[in-house]
Amino acid sequence: QVTLMESGGGLVQPGGSLTLSCAASGSIPSIYVMDWYRQAPGKERELVAAFSKGDGMWYLSDVKGRFTLSEDNAKSMVYLQMNSLKLEDAAVYYCHVNVFPGYWGQGTQVTASS
């Protein structure tokens, strides 16, 4: 059984920054199977950032250059540093383990408001 716990969401003004954290407990094969999704109201859940076997990281085009995915393998944690936040980044952000059957955290709300 895998449990994921996100933290770090909140209210931020456009242009601001937040860092989301995800702590994993249980048995996962690698920290690099963890990734971040988000879901805005009325929209489908979408992959935002993931570790890639090729060049190291994959980012949704809308966040590339603004968001940074990182990890602390010793602590079984992954982070999503979000800079230059936009109103359209507002969503519930979910940590996910990309191993069958797939595991999700409870989500953390990011709200951008001027």
Side-chain angles (χ1 to χ4, degrees), residues 18-22 31-37 47-53 55-60 63-73 77-83 93-98:
L18 282 175
T19 299
L20 306 183
S21 301
C22 176
I31 197 79
Y32 301 107
V33 300
M34 296 175 67
D35 45 40
W36 287 96
Y37 281 73
L47 180 63
V48 176
F51 296 101
S52 170
K53 291 182 179 180
D55 56 5
M57 307 293 179
W58 178 93
Y59 296 98
L60 181 68
V63 309
K64 196 174 294 184
R66 300 187 296 120
F67 290 12
T68 302
L69 177 65
S70 62
E71 50 79 19
D72 185 334
N73 197 19
M77 293 194 68
V78 294
Y79 307 94
L80 186 66
Q81 172 71 42
M82 305 187 296
N83 298 326
Y93 284 72
Y94 296 92
C95 184
H96 170 254
V97 169
N98 188 25

